[in-house]
Amino acid sequence: MSEHSDTELITANEACALLGISAATLYAYVSRGQLSSRPGPQARSRVYLRAEVERLAQRKRAGRGAERGAAQSLDRGLPVLETRISLIRPDAPYYRGRSAVAAAQAGATLEDIARLLWECEDHDPFAATAPAAWPSRIASLALDAELPPVERTMACIPLLALEQRQSLNAAIAVRREVAAMLLRQNAALLVGTEPDARPVHRLLADAWRPGDTVFAELVRSALVLCADHELNVSAFAARVVASTGAHLHATVSAGLAALSGPRHGGATARAHALLLDAEASGAPAAFIAERWRRGDELPGFHHLLYPDGDPRGAEVLRQLRDSCGDSPRMRLVEAVLAATEEVSGQHPNIDGMLGAVCYVYELPGAHALVMFATARLTGWLAHALEQQALGTLIRPRARYTGLAPKLPVGAA
């Protein structure tokens, strides 16, 4: 671990020395999104986050050996397992070969994407599962509006497994029907209402802005774009649990637990807070420039897997502009976007745009995470179904780097 602060800034010469590269190569790393830079104290000079540079240097030192390569792959490095579910490309994530952006633009619902990701073909698991009222033992929890959405859902999902007689049934049709029921239950828990047969995007939109069809369309699109994203942290956690043979409720619980961290699903709340802080400053452009100058991050911007801009965020932004065009809050969002691009070259990611949706529509920032968690459960279940069809256990090995065992007294 570095002894330096995560926000310590260093010069270009220092960065080049740490990496053992030329200035030209350093600039190439920045242009490819492998490093970020900020304006330096002198005109046209740039400074760099020491922590970022040291992480990149560590990756370079790791080399190409099998053991070291495997260790590095756990941080957005080399692929660690095969999947047929989704593919990340610069223009969009692809769900079983179909563009998520194109699906959102064509009017697909989250249920449509679930049927695709779960390979349902002619079997519609949503038609086969009639939503039921909450069991008496969890109704008070499920409908308690004072509980935070994710915590309320995490408390109820394991209890719902007790009501599911076929939770360990291996028949694929039954497992898809359990998944469909879970998708509806999860959405209802996240907004604190009873599950029903409405499309999931309508259930959310009606809970927050009843009768607003334009807003409902925006929610629909956001859910489709967030349904899966390959081996993100929560999908991998769900997949590991699924590999043990655990029921689908357990895999969903694992996904929710991983999503709750500030470096995953919690990023939406920080992006929403950035917009509120920019508004409170009274000068959003200057506020963003000052944050960047002193080395603070800009939550809701940049994505390591999309160095040229997150296409999911771009699509939500396009629809948000269409629906809220010249509103005062949308103008502030535009000011923050413009200032961020000017000082850093960064574009909004999907976390940032979910936060922007809540900001523009004057909704609590927690609703951004609700949209994310509602959608992403679709992918968790797809990964669980795929992993359990493989029938293998995910059990990587660790490379021990601690103190060596002491030899017994008198040993040679």
Side-chain angles (χ1 to χ4, degrees):
M1 180 178 292
S2 170
E3 63 183 6
H4 304 285
S5 165
D6 285 345
T7 59
E8 182 182 348
L9 299 172
I10 59 177
T11 66
N13 286 340
E14 291 173 313
C16 288
L18 282 171
L19 292 167
I21 58 174
S22 67
T25 303
L26 177 67
Y27 302 146
Y29 283 157
V30 173
S31 68
R32 292 197 296 265
Q34 293 174 273
L35 287 174
S36 59
S37 67
R38 292 156 169 73
Q42 285 82 40
R44 301 185 66 181
S45 68
R46 308 294 292 182
V47 291
Y48 305 82
L49 277 171
R50 178 184 287 276
E52 277 191 4
V53 174
E54 289 180 340
R55 280 196 294 270
L56 182 58
Q58 184 180 24
R59 290 173 187 164
K60 284 167 60 66
R61 288 193 298 269
R64 299 180 180 272
E67 288 186 2
R68 291 185 180 274
Q72 294 297 312
S73 70
L74 294 179
D75 186 10
R76 285 170 286 222
L78 298 172
V80 297
L81 55 80
E82 295 181 349
T83 181
R84 298 172 59 225
I85 296 170
S86 63
L87 168 70
I88 296 174
R89 295 182 59 180
D91 62 312
Y94 281 74
Y95 303 151
R96 297 200 184 276
R98 301 183 187 181
S99 165
V101 172
Q105 293 172 345
T109 65
L110 187 61
E111 288 82 355
D112 292 331
I113 300 303
R115 285 185 283 264
L116 171 64
L117 291 179
W118 304 343
E119 294 187 297
C120 294
E121 298 180 350
D122 294 333
H123 174 225
D124 185 359
F126 295 97
T129 55
W134 296 124
S136 58
R137 73 174 72 192
I138 73 161
S140 60
L141 273 176
L143 301 174
D144 188 344
E146 294 185 3
L147 291 173
V150 172
E151 285 74 7
R152 179 174 58 230
T153 306
M154 290 175 65
C156 292
I157 290 289
L159 298 176
L160 286 171
L162 301 176
E163 307 288 331
Q164 179 52 246
R165 296 179 181 177
Q166 304 198 74
S167 61
L168 293 176
N169 191 315
I172 187 59
V174 172
R175 297 181 69 72
R176 288 175 182 142
E177 290 170 11
V178 172
M181 181 190 64
L182 266 169
L183 189 67
R184 284 173 166 159
Q185 290 177 332
N186 177 68
L189 287 169
L190 286 166
V191 296
T193 190
E194 296 280 359
D196 60 41
R198 278 176 293 174
V200 168
H201 72 276
R202 288 291 306 276
L203 186 145
L204 267 59
D206 289 348
W208 298 335
R209 293 181 63 88
D212 190 336
T213 57
V214 173
F215 176 71
E217 275 296 287
L218 186 57
V219 172
R220 177 199 60 75
S221 183
L223 296 184
V224 167
L225 292 165
C226 293
D228 190 61
H229 207 233
E230 194 217 69
L231 282 186
N232 58 85
V233 176
S234 53
F236 188 63
R239 190 156 185 148
V240 169
V241 171
S243 77
T244 70
H247 53 68
L248 295 181
H249 292 71
T251 67
V252 167
S253 296
L256 286 168
L259 190 69
S260 67
R263 297 182 65 187
H264 191 11
T268 56
R270 292 187 291 118
H272 183 262
L274 179 73
L275 294 172
L276 292 177
D277 290 345
E279 178 186 29
S281 75
F287 168 79
I288 294 296
E290 174 60 18
R291 280 184 65 104
W292 186 253
R293 186 197 65 78
R294 66 175 181 250
D296 292 349
E297 66 170 342
L298 297 175
F301 290 86
H302 186 55
H303 195 297
L304 285 174
L305 299 181
Y306 300 109
D308 296 323
D310 186 341
R312 303 166 301 168
E315 178 59 22
V316 173
L317 175 59
R318 183 189 68 79
Q319 294 193 31
L320 190 58
R321 283 169 170 162
D322 288 346
S323 63
C324 298
D326 197 36
S327 70
R329 287 191 164 229
M330 190 64 205
R331 287 199 295 272
L332 182 131
V333 170
E334 296 285 11
V336 169
L337 296 178
T340 300
E341 183 171 4
E342 180 178 352
V343 300
S344 71
Q346 295 181 356
H347 304 285
N349 58 34
I350 189 63
D351 301 314
M353 293 319 302
L354 292 178
V357 168
C358 292
Y359 173 79
V360 171
Y361 278 93
E362 300 186 55
L363 297 171
H367 289 7
L369 181 54
V370 167
M371 286 187 277
F372 195 88
T374 297
R376 191 53 60 85
L377 179 129
T378 313
W380 299 339
L381 291 168
H383 282 280
L385 293 171
E386 182 179 67
Q387 185 63 40
Q388 292 185 340
L390 291 173
T392 56
L393 182 69
I394 298 176
R395 201 303 191 187
R397 291 297 309 278
R399 183 163 57 88
Y400 180 69
T401 59
L403 293 173
K406 293 182 178 179
L407 292 174
V409 176

